[in-house]
Amino acid sequence: MSVRHRKTATLTLVAILLLSVILGCAKQDNTPASSSTDGAANEKTITLSWPRDIGTMNPHVYNPSQLFAQSMIYEPLVSYKQGGKLEPALAESWTISKDGKTYTFKLRKGVKFSDGTPFNAAIVKKNFDAVMKNEKTHSWLGVVGVLDKTEAVDDSTFRMTLKEPYYPVLQDLSVVRPFRFLGEAGFPDDGDTSKGIKKPVGTGPWMLDEYKQDEYATFKRNPNYWGTAPKIDKIIVKTIPDGETRVMAFEKGDLDLIYGEGVISLDAFKQLRDTNNYVTKLSEPVGTRSLLLNSSNPKLADLRVRLALQHGFNKQAMVEGVTSGLEEKADTVLSKNYPYTNVDLQPVDYDVEKSKALLDEAGWKLPAGGTVREKDGQQLDFELIFDKTDPIQKAMAETIQAEWGELGVKVNLTGLELTVQIKRLRSNQFDLYFWYNYGAPYDPHSFINVIAKKSFGISEVLSALPMKKDLDQQVHEALSSTDETKRQELYASILKTLQEQSAIVPISYIKKTAVYQKKITNFVFPANRDENPFEGIEIGK
Amino acid sequence: MISYIGKRMVAVIPIVLFATLVTFALIHISPVDPAEAYLTAAHIYPTPEILEQKRHEFGLDQPLLTQYIQTLQRISRLDFGISYLTNKPVWDEVKVRLPATVELALSSMLLSIVVSIPLGVLAAIRKNGWIDMLSRGLSYFGASIPQFWLGYLLIFFFSVKLDWLPVEGRGTWQHLVLPTLTLSLVLIALYTRLLRSSVLEQLQETYVQYARTRGIRERVIMLKHVLKIAIAPLITGMGMNLGKLLTGTIIVEQVFSWPGFGRYFVEAIFNRDIPVIQCYVFLAACLFIVCNLLVDLVHLYMDPRISSKGRTEQ
């Protein structure tokens, strides 16, 4: 080796060593003040990530605020618990008038906002007024459409009067937005929260501590919280948009918890589960993935064809294959963990022979040497539209296409931009469509509402059902009924009809996933799909 | 020279106008109705009345020409409208995020220049030697590996396995290392090979032979003569590869949770936040135009023989 070469090699080696030392010794300042850096060594902190920035934390608006974070700061009058049980939250009790039109809430005494100001009927009314000022924005929520007036009767009594009876008022009040309560200090001068708030002041167990847009948010305990204080001192939420990066941050130990729907890929979840180094959990069903068979299409107006299609694909194999068993095969349109849905219904099982027989019976015959069934010179073909950015929908669409192809049913696949897809649903321009219900606490009442109410697209899907008028009537009765037994009967009847008519074909139950480090204990999925999972969460010794 | 620069500046105007036209056309060729996209983002059910009202509010019921003129007036004031998602002015949102992206782009540019110039020159001087082999290997690797995957690999080794650097985020210089490496590797790959072939070409020139016969030292020939000329294609390459840098920042910001404009743009796409998408497209187009102009001006500075016709006088 020449002298010059030796020099170069030595210099390179020194540079590499120097760089290694610098990188190795560099104190990693992970931006939010974590327990290890703020001096409070015994402070209990949980760090998780979220795909998006938590947003403006305005309780009365939607995007870009994130539901789970809003639910940490703001509370409802009524809480939705496991199995649809409604429990007192900021209201300690309530009475409903005989005609189902007047709801009187007794507010919990001694509740304070995080800034120490009192929670009372006046501030409840002020929040309701702010929400109802933008009624159109919230028209998707049933109670908004029927709310006539609100009054602060006295300091701890709040009354709502409806235009007509509507039983799911309490469920609607338990949702994360818009009916949660902002403290006086958060209101803008003109009281119109839709334009923005001054600061996030709530009554919830947590308050926003530090926030850096697009990077992180930290929450600390609300010292004025009326309920059981959290066992954790601080929650750090890092904004990590990429699923794979999230997994690596978790494996490195930067994150204690990965939680949510679709926040990591199914493969990553399985890989983390198989290491046995972490705890992995799947929630109860939070929603159903269904396939709509649009009966407005004359070919699908025939019940025999709809039944044949449901009998004609192997749900179990598809759900196992596409979702790696992280979703569960669905036999009924709604899972049985909602109120009124624990009804005994007959599943439509996988049965190819039965499927072929039904198609034959309906007059759709395979021509000699042909692969697609025909009737009166028409082919039995359908278009299945799906969200082209959703890998699960795409894989399921391809599976269905292959399986129904075997039966002699031709399926043309069209991947669409989500907005266009929704537009086609609402304008009833489709044959087959992947659809999801809303989950708790919105269902089952929101589900039956869209069955009857036009312009959402679901009512039109059922338009050729011979009993559609009766179905609509039953929905209306169920929503306005004040008799619990009658309501249960009506729900049973509605769900039975839908099951028999096979226009909404249940495919699988979607679940939330959670992966966390073993030091975390007492992790429980919230009953309300949109709530945060920190109630009772603890860090083991 | 002054008149040439003036002419080039004037020539930019129609190109910028064309960029605004493309940006404007985006709305009208997209299958997504802006009014509907707004309502979806705001979580408002799009009844025909509200749709009508929003379309009127956005001026979508005006004739196309009127809409275009209004768009031009707004853009000239740096008013890109209100984000559908946050209800805040887009420009304010962009301003907050631009520094992070500029920081990432500049550090990547810098690293790629610092690495590729010596590497390219050495690869040419020691043709077929080990440095040349190394640079060739690096170039193949850098040019062919998908950026997002390279990002994951770097995180896996340097953060998860070795625990030297943070996985994601921004704040300290350590946070900048991996995103910069990811973004600059493809540029290093390009520039190194470009410079190598350019230097090799110059080394064949007669002026180099002449300088050698005059007994001028090799190092002086290289630095004072060869490199000065050989660097020109590299400067052109930098201007031409700006697109790689731009798309690169989008991917890298997403992978490393870097809070910049690229990530904001990705989120805007997912949420169909049309004003933000328009703003990004327009700014990207302007950046291309400005960079091309700068490249030409640098060439002019380096080679004064370039005439107003934009070619070397014979």
Side-chain angles (χ1 to χ4, degrees), chain A residues 36-320:
Chain A
S36 54
T37 56
D38 62 2
N42 56 357
E43 197 175 54
K44 291 181 171 177
T45 303
I46 286 181
T47 307
L48 73 149
S49 77
W50 200 250
R52 290 177 56 188
D53 180 78
I54 61 157
T56 53
M57 290 296 98
N58 180 338
H60 303 155
V61 300
Y62 302 92
N63 261 331
S65 286
Q66 298 300 292
L67 288 150
F68 88 96
Q70 285 170 301
S71 78
M72 290 168 77
I73 300 175
Y74 303 107
E75 293 185 298
L77 290 173
V78 182
S79 260
Y80 183 97
K81 297 295 182 192
Q82 296 298 343
K85 206 163 157 278
L86 293 165
E87 287 185 1
L90 291 176
E92 60 183 13
S93 65
W94 50 87
T95 52
I96 307 169
S97 64
K98 270 223 156 34
D99 63 0
K101 285 189 187 175
T102 310
Y103 285 67
T104 309
F105 295 92
K106 279 282 168 216
L107 304 181
R108 192 178 292 278
K109 290 197 171 66
V111 174
K112 285 187 176 147
F113 283 96
S114 56
D115 62 353
T117 53
F119 170 80
N120 53 32
I123 197 78
V124 173
K125 166 117 179 88
K126 188 167 183 169
N127 275 270
F128 265 81
D129 290 347
V131 171
M132 293 309 284
K133 195 170 181 176
N134 296 285
E135 201 177 328
K136 270 183 181 166
T137 306
H138 311 294
S139 61
W140 63 275
L141 194 65
V143 69
V144 172
V146 294
L147 189 58
D148 187 26
K149 61 174 186 190
T150 58
E151 316 149 70
V153 180
D154 59 39
D155 209 36
S156 62
T157 313
F158 173 72
R159 186 181 294 141
M160 290 170 56
T161 311
L162 311 183
K163 296 169 193 161
E164 57 187 72
Y166 171 74
Y167 97 82
V169 163
L170 299 174
Q171 280 85 346
D172 280 0
L173 293 183
S174 74
V175 306
V176 171
R177 50 198 188 196
F179 288 114
R180 293 204 177 188
F181 304 96
L182 178 72
E184 189 65 58
F187 275 86
D189 298 335
D190 64 355
D192 185 1
T193 49
S194 71
K195 304 278 189 296
I197 59 169
K198 280 184 178 168
K199 54 180 175 181
V201 182
T203 59
W206 301 97
M207 50 198 276
L208 190 62
D209 183 20
E210 271 186 88
Y211 170 63
K212 201 162 181 196
Q213 192 179 31
D214 282 352
E215 294 187 47
Y216 63 87
T218 68
F219 294 85
K220 62 181 180 189
R221 276 198 297 223
N222 170 6
N224 297 313
Y225 186 50
W226 58 270
T228 312
K231 297 183 179 74
I232 301 296
D233 300 294
K234 192 189 259 187
I235 303 268
I236 299 173
V237 183
K238 287 186 172 187
T239 309
I240 303 180
D242 187 89
E244 300 307 319
T245 308
R246 195 172 303 130
V247 171
M248 287 194 278
F250 177 77
E251 284 181 304
K252 182 173 181 272
D254 288 352
L255 301 177
D256 301 312
L257 166 70
I258 298 177
Y259 158 83
E261 287 172 50
V263 287
I264 53 173
S265 68
L266 303 176
D267 288 341
F269 181 83
K270 272 196 335 188
Q271 178 210 320
L272 292 172
R273 184 182 59 195
D274 295 344
T275 62
N276 288 325
N277 296 331
Y278 315 106
V279 184
T280 51
K281 269 190 176 177
L282 287 172
S283 72
E284 292 268 289
V286 293
T288 311
R289 191 189 292 277
S290 302
L291 187 70
L292 301 179
L293 311 183
N294 191 351
S295 71
S296 313
N297 176 330
K299 296 172 192 172
L300 288 167
D302 188 333
L303 172 62
R304 291 167 298 188
V305 173
R306 295 198 303 268
L307 276 172
L309 294 180
Q310 187 166 188
H311 278 301
F313 75 107
N314 189 340
K315 270 183 220 177
Q316 184 68 43
M318 184 167 89
V319 173
E320 280 290 328

Side-chain angles (χ1 to χ4, degrees), chain B residues 88-293:
Chain B
K88 290 179 185 162
V90 171
W91 184 242
D92 291 354
E93 302 255 291
V94 169
K95 260 191 318 196
V96 175
R97 292 168 171 89
L98 265 180
T101 300
V102 170
E103 179 187 353
L104 186 58
L106 285 181
S107 66
S108 307
M109 267 287 199
L110 197 66
L111 183 69
S112 59
I113 291 166
V114 166
V115 173
S116 53
I117 290 181
L119 200 61
V121 171
L122 286 172
I125 295 171
R126 311 244 183 280
K127 194 179 164 190
N128 297 329
W130 67 270
I131 289 188
D132 191 19
M133 294 293 183
L134 178 83
S135 86
R136 194 175 302 173
L138 187 71
S139 297
Y140 286 143
F141 182 73
S144 55
I145 189 170
Q147 259 173 331
F148 71 91
W149 196 52
L150 175 65
Y152 293 150
L153 284 180
L154 291 176
I155 293 174
F156 182 74
F157 284 112
F158 291 102
S159 304
V160 179
K161 288 292 168 199
L162 297 169
D163 200 14
W164 285 0
L165 293 160
V167 174
E168 47 75 43
R170 180 181 179 228
T172 61
W173 67 266
Q174 294 100 314
H175 286 95
L176 190 61
V177 177
L178 294 184
T180 301
L181 274 178
T182 308
L183 196 51
S184 56
L185 191 73
V186 65
L187 301 175
I188 291 170
L190 282 163
Y191 299 162
T192 305
R193 299 319 279 173
L194 203 65
L195 196 62
R196 176 187 176 273
S197 59
S198 175
V199 169
L200 280 175
E201 206 176 285
Q202 290 303 317
L203 288 175
Q204 304 304 318
E205 293 288 332
T206 46
Y207 73 87
V208 176
Q209 312 293 337
Y210 179 60
R212 280 179 182 154
T213 51
R214 282 170 53 211
I216 298 175
R217 285 169 55 202
E218 200 69 22
R219 181 178 300 189
V220 176
I221 294 174
M222 190 52 73
L223 293 177
K224 284 214 162 168
H225 302 285
V226 172
L227 202 57
K228 208 170 161 183
I229 299 169
I231 209 104
L234 186 69
I235 292 165
T236 310
M238 280 180 187
M240 301 287 285
N241 284 307
L242 190 76
K244 276 201 164 54
L245 194 65
L246 271 180
T247 51
T249 51
I250 294 173
I251 294 162
V252 169
E253 284 180 12
Q254 191 74 3
V255 168
F256 290 95
S257 312
W258 191 262
F261 188 24
R263 203 177 102 190
Y264 180 57
F265 175 58
V266 171
E267 197 158 316
I269 290 172
F270 278 119
N271 290 295
R272 286 111 199 136
D273 198 344
I274 292 168
V276 178
I277 298 171
Q278 277 189 307
C279 175
Y280 187 91
V281 171
F282 177 72
L283 290 182
C286 287
L287 192 62
F288 267 96
I289 293 162
V290 169
C291 276
N292 273 327
L293 182 64

Side-chain angles (χ1 to χ4, degrees), chain A residues 441-509:
Chain A
Y442 310 98
D443 283 336
H445 58 278
S446 300
F447 172 73
I448 61 169
N449 184 41
V450 297
I451 285 172
K453 206 169 177 177
K454 285 210 160 36
S455 83
F456 286 97
I458 310 303
S459 176
E460 292 79 353
V461 163
L462 307 169
S463 59
L465 269 54
M467 67 295 289
K468 177 71 167 80
K469 270 209 170 77
D470 293 344
L471 202 60
D472 292 355
Q473 184 55 35
Q474 286 176 336
V475 167
H476 183 73
E477 276 177 42
L479 290 176
S480 57
S481 141
T482 52
D483 177 348
E484 191 73 21
T485 319
K486 179 94 172 63
R487 199 182 301 150
Q488 177 65 69
E489 281 169 14
L490 287 162
Y491 266 111
S493 168
I494 293 164
L495 292 172
K496 187 167 179 287
T497 303
L498 291 176
Q499 186 75 359
E500 287 166 354
Q501 290 299 313
S502 187
I504 304 174
V505 173
I507 295 174
S508 62
Y509 297 132

